[in-house]
Amino acid sequence: MKRNILPFFCLLFSMFSFGQKLEYSTLTIPDSLKQNANAVVRLSKININISSQKSMSTKSMVVMTVLNEYGLSNLNLAEQYDKSSQINKIEATAYDASGRVVKVYKKKTLRISQR
């Protein structure tokens, strides 16, 4: 009986270990987009929620893949706000080429200044 369970367990373990999402892997970028490019914008999304005449919230998400050192200059690592607005939550996540999380930056580790 133990011999029959072991192959099933190994198969199940391999499915979980290799079943990671590869949506941010550089392998999923078409070669036509990587040709002569320094960086590729994978996603740029802004959601604006107006809850009343005096209240609104904005959520933005940008996914950019930097292909070489020249692509670093394309990163816009800033979120602008003024005295009438505030940042409640902000975070940035760095991934490696295979799409695995390298580091997560939270609000407390980022430098925040008003404009």
Side-chain angles (χ1 to χ4, degrees):
M1 181 72 176
K2 289 182 182 180
R3 289 184 186 169
N4 293 337
I5 294 175
L6 185 60
F8 176 72
F9 178 73
C10 291
L11 177 66
L12 188 63
F13 177 74
S14 66
M15 287 173 52
F16 281 118
S17 62
F18 292 110
Q20 297 176 358
K21 289 185 180 178
L22 296 176
E23 60 187 83
Y24 296 134
S25 170
T26 56
L27 299 174
T28 61
I29 302 173
D31 291 333
S32 60
L33 290 178
K34 291 192 281 189
Q35 187 177 10
N36 298 323
N38 299 322
V40 177
V41 176
R42 316 274 298 270
L43 175 71
S44 181
K45 177 171 69 170
I46 298 174
N47 291 331
I48 300 172
N49 182 17
I50 302 172
S51 53
S52 70
Q53 289 180 342
K54 296 182 181 180
S55 176
M56 100 175 186
S57 65
T58 305
K59 293 181 182 181
S60 61
M61 180 176 179
V62 177
V63 177
M64 181 179 287
T65 300
V66 177
L67 300 172
N68 56 39
E69 65 184 52
Y70 297 114
L72 290 173
S73 63
N74 294 327
L75 288 176
N76 182 12
L77 299 176
E79 196 65 41
Q80 297 182 6
Y81 71 106
D82 56 13
K83 292 178 183 178
S84 64
S85 60
Q86 63 183 354
I87 295 178
N88 293 327
K89 179 181 176 185
I90 186 169
E91 75 178 35
T93 306
Y95 297 90
D96 64 5
S98 63
R100 291 190 201 109
V101 174
V102 175
K103 187 164 184 178
V104 177
Y105 301 92
K106 300 282 185 174
K107 183 178 179 180
K108 63 183 178 182
T109 60
L110 299 173
R111 183 175 50 104
I112 298 175
S113 60
Q114 276 186 347
R115 197 158 214 218

